[in-house]
Amino acid sequence: LLRLGHPELARTTLERWEGALAKEARYWLALCDIEKVLGQDVDRLLRVATRAREVLPADDQAEINYTTALLISARRPEEAVLLTSKRLERSPLSLAAKINHCAALVRTERFDDALALMQQITPARLGPWESTWYQLIRFELFFHLKLFDQAWTALDLIQPQHLFPNQREPLRR
C-alpha cells in the first residue's frame, strides 16, 4: 500500500495487526517507512523507530531509522552524535551518514566540525528528501555561524513538504 501511494491506509492496516506482529522486526521497519513518508508525527516516528531498534538491536536499517528519528525530533543529541559517528566510521562514503552526522554535530553546537564535514558532501547526488535534509542542516549551521547570506540561500532550497511539522515551524519565523 505504501508503494502504491497510500501511506495512511498502510498505517491503518498495519496498526490493526500490532498485537500479532509486535515482535516482528519487519512490522516496525515498515511502520518507520510509513511514518517517514507521512512526515506528520515525530513522536510517533520516534516511538516506532525505538521499538524497531529494540526488536532488531543489530540491524543497520533499524539503527538508521532510530538515529533519523532522534535527529528529526531534536532529542538526545549526544546519543545521535555517537550513533552517527559509528555509522560514518562503518560507511565513510555514505552521503546519508555524512549528512546525519552533520546534523548531530550542529545539534550539539560543534559547528566547526559540522562545517568541515559539510564541505565533503556533493548535494547534486542527493534525492529530494536528502537534499531538503541537507539544506535544513546547512541553514541551521550557517545561521549559528552568522553567515546569513549562505543561510538564506540554503533556506530557499528547502522543500517544506519533505519536513516534519516540528522542522517546518522554526522556518516560518
Side-chain angles (χ1 to χ4, degrees), residues 32-125:
C32 284
D33 290 342
I34 291 167
E35 293 306 323
K36 286 189 288 187
V37 168
L38 288 172
Q40 298 170 350
D41 188 340
V42 69
D43 293 326
R44 185 181 186 85
L45 173 64
L46 185 57
R47 182 181 71 81
V48 298
T50 299
R51 187 67 181 119
R53 190 166 182 243
E54 290 168 355
V55 173
L56 277 172
D59 183 78
D60 283 344
Q61 192 57 52
E63 182 181 293
I64 290 167
N65 287 341
Y66 175 72
T67 304
T68 300
L70 287 178
L71 292 168
I72 290 171
S73 68
R75 296 188 186 138
R76 299 190 293 277
E78 290 297 336
E79 182 180 2
V81 167
L82 179 65
L83 292 170
T84 59
S85 179
K86 288 179 182 178
R87 167 70 43 205
L88 193 55
E89 286 175 16
R90 289 192 303 267
S91 305
L93 301 178
S94 167
L95 293 176
K98 289 178 183 179
I99 294 169
N100 283 346
H101 193 54
C102 280
L105 291 169
V106 168
R107 300 280 157 69
T108 55
E109 299 183 3
R110 298 172 192 169
F111 302 124
D112 291 338
D113 293 336
L115 183 60
L117 185 56
M118 183 74 64
Q119 293 170 342
Q120 299 176 25
I121 299 169
T122 306
R125 296 178 48 207

Side-chain angles (χ1 to χ4, degrees), residues 128-139:
W129 191 90
E130 293 86 2
S131 179
T132 293
W133 183 233
Y134 168 78
Q135 296 301 339
L136 178 65
I137 300 309
R138 281 185 71 226
F139 170 74

